[in-house]
Amino acid sequence: MKKVAFPLLSAILLVCALAGSTAIADFRKGQNVWSKHLETKLLGEPSPLAAPQATVGFAEKLSIKEVKGTWLRVKAKDGQGWIFTGNVSGEKPELAPAAGLTQVDASQTNTVAAARPLTPAAKDYAARHGQQDAQADIDWIDLESSRLTKDELVAWMSANQKGEYQP
Amino acid sequence: MKRAAFLVCVIGLFFTADLFAQGLGDLMKAIDKTAKTATDASRVVKGVSGLSLEEEVAIGDAVALAIVSRYGGVWRDPEATHRVNVIGRVLAQFAVRQDLEWRFGLLDSDAINAFSAPGGRVFITRGLYQLSASDEKLAGILAHEIIHIDERHALDIIARGELVGGISALVADNSASFAAYEQAVGAITGEILDEGFDPGVEFRADGGGRELAAVTGFAPGGLRAVLTELGAMAGQPQEVFSTHPSIAERLERLPDDPAN
């Protein structure tokens, strides 16, 4: 039994792991994908500066009609247009961005997000293990990280031609 | 007969995993005050790992504490920390999991390594950061760690450990819940900091990270360039990716992509 079960179990676990993989892969016409963000504009052309044609919400199913470089022309339930490949997933996302504990709200792109502190369970863990210095260090990272605004990220991406700002 | 026995075994293993996940869920609710105030139903939706987002974050925060403690604390360099957060969060925008709050920090250590904790915390040592002068190289490293979190590799450790080891006793008794949290955190930190992920998991993170970097617009060969540089530094005194497969094995599996 052991000789049979463990290689087979390993194979099953490997298949399960592959099935749950991050779906940043090749996209093709006819394939279904899902939007990853709370709100994503479908654009008139494959460019971040193009006019919006429609808006899709989180985990909305999109059917690919055309692939052009890193852009997909998709049909949604309420319209169609171009979307950057990084904004879709080959598998339906489970939890919406809003479910994040203190995710920056999309409407507050230019404000500094409040730093989410360590969870109470982790603070207790730090106390039990004498890791108060590490706790202070992580608090510092959280503060520094929270200073970065969505607008700053978008400006950096635009200047450095990243994401949908790729040429 | 063998097939039937095998099926029973597999079903039993998944049942055990489910019991474990439920036990951990009860434990987290008991000890984490945030759970008491959680009214958003989406917060308690269980992911594929069987853990809610809050449970994942609570475990990940403790894992992060252990990582920081082990690796000399945090290197409090605002400029470098800003840079890893910019590049890390640009990459994370295109990860599958958008439910996480991603944070990136530097560890004050000469060692050459990087780590990720469930819930969205990524760390890179000062030693590795200083080898990552180009954004492409830094993106390659960070993307690898993002994939570990995106695909819940560390959380799989808990499930797999429970399955293979047959440990399932922490479910029944609430008084054991406290210990279960410690056990879960200990299992993950042990794997991340001492044993390392299975080589196959690391190779998957290399490949997924390469794709994530490429989709984001970074050269796909950034990680390969770092590994190549490290491979050429024979006899270096500091720890080099001690928790990862050999550099040669990793390079064998990465395409020879451009690094700029």
Side-chain angles (χ1 to χ4, degrees):
Chain A
M1 177 62 197
K2 271 185 180 176
K3 285 180 182 173
V4 176
F6 281 98
L8 281 173
L9 181 58
S10 299
I12 287 172
L13 289 173
L14 179 62
V15 168
C16 291
L18 291 174
S21 66
T22 299
I24 302 167
D26 292 336
F27 294 107
R28 63 190 183 282
K29 183 180 175 182
Q31 182 184 350
N32 288 326
V33 292
W34 286 263
S35 52
K36 292 196 295 199
H37 301 280
L38 282 179
E39 184 181 294
T40 308
K41 306 284 187 197
L42 299 183
L43 305 171
E45 295 173 40
S47 160
L49 303 178
Q53 306 293 304
T55 302
V56 293
F58 173 72
E60 197 165 314
K61 189 159 94 173
L62 310 169
S63 173
I64 299 177
K65 299 299 174 188
E66 185 180 352
V67 179
K68 193 171 184 180
T70 57
W71 289 82
L72 310 171
R73 186 169 62 80
V74 296
K75 185 174 188 316
K77 65 175 190 240
D78 293 326
Q80 59 179 313
W82 292 90
I83 188 169
F84 176 62
T85 52
N87 290 327
V88 302
S89 171
E91 55 195 66
K92 189 173 182 179
E94 295 171 57
L95 293 174
L101 298 181
T102 57
Q103 193 79 22
V104 181
D105 189 284
S107 65
Q108 298 177 327
T109 55
N110 202 27
T111 56
V112 174
R116 176 184 67 75
L118 282 167
T119 58
K123 286 179 181 172
D124 290 347
Y125 180 91
R128 287 197 300 278
H129 292 263
Q131 295 177 338
Q132 289 86 350
D133 288 348
Q135 183 180 334
D137 275 345
I138 289 178
D139 286 345
W140 183 85
I141 288 177
D142 291 347
L143 185 63
E144 291 298 309
S145 176
S146 69
R147 295 185 201 280
L148 188 56
T149 66
K150 179 80 174 172
D151 276 357
E152 193 176 350
L153 280 181
V154 170
W156 191 91
M157 288 169 62
S158 176
N160 291 276
Q161 299 186 324
K162 297 295 184 270
E164 48 267 72
Y165 295 91
Q166 292 172 61
Chain B
M1 180 59 194
K2 282 180 178 176
R3 182 181 295 176
F6 173 68
L7 285 173
V8 168
C9 174
V10 169
I11 291 166
L13 290 175
F14 279 101
F15 183 64
T16 304
D18 187 47
L19 285 178
F20 170 73
Q22 287 177 32
L24 201 53
D26 291 343
L27 127 78
M28 294 308 304
K29 284 171 187 166
I31 63 177
D32 194 331
K33 293 167 190 168
T34 59
K36 291 177 183 172
T37 56
T39 54
D40 184 347
S42 62
R43 288 185 179 179
V44 292
V45 172
K46 302 286 183 180
V48 291
S49 63
L51 297 174
S52 72
L53 178 62
E54 281 187 320
E55 291 160 355
E56 176 180 350
V57 169
I59 289 173
D61 278 356
V63 170
L65 286 163
I67 292 170
V68 169
S69 295
R70 178 78 70 90
Y71 276 83
V74 163
W75 180 34
R76 296 193 183 194
D77 183 312
E79 189 179 339
T81 302
H82 181 263
R83 180 171 173 244
V84 293
N85 274 282
V86 168
I87 293 178
R89 280 173 56 182
V90 165
L91 287 162
Q93 280 191 81
F94 305 115
V96 169
R97 297 193 63 191
Q98 294 298 312
D99 54 313
L100 301 176
E101 189 174 355
W102 297 86
R103 287 106 184 271
F104 300 82
L106 293 147
L107 300 167
D108 196 9
S109 168
D110 290 330
I112 291 172
N113 218 332
F115 304 96
S116 56
R121 294 187 185 276
V122 173
F123 298 95
I124 174 173
T125 61
R126 177 172 37 75
L128 183 54
Y129 177 82
Q130 289 171 340
L131 285 175
S132 315
S134 77
D135 288 351
E136 317 299 325
K137 288 179 181 175
L138 183 55
I141 294 161
L142 296 177
H144 170 105
E145 297 303 327
I146 287 170
I147 295 297
H148 277 315
I149 296 172
D150 217 20
E151 299 189 0
R152 298 177 170 88
H153 290 161
L155 299 177
D156 286 348
I157 288 169
I158 305 175
R160 193 172 66 247
E162 292 301 314
L163 289 170
V164 176
I167 305 167
S168 59
L170 51 85
V171 179
D173 185 1
N174 259 352
S175 64
S177 294
F178 189 72
Y181 178 68
E182 293 275 347
Q183 188 178 357
V185 173
I188 293 176
T189 53
E191 192 88 0
I192 290 176
L193 294 175
D194 299 318
E195 299 163 38
F197 288 116
D198 290 342
V201 170
E202 292 293 354
F203 299 144
R204 275 197 54 72
D206 281 351
R210 171 181 167 271
E211 289 183 9
L212 177 58
V215 164
T216 308
F218 291 99
L223 177 61
R224 183 181 175 83
V226 175
L227 294 175
T228 302
E229 194 173 325
L230 288 172
M233 293 168 52
Q236 57 272 50
Q238 72 269 54
E239 168 195 328
V240 178
F241 280 130
S242 60
T243 52
H244 292 67
S246 76
I247 288 173
E249 284 181 293
R250 296 175 72 185
L251 285 172
E252 271 178 26
R253 289 165 174 81
L254 281 170
D256 190 10
D257 296 314
N260 49 44

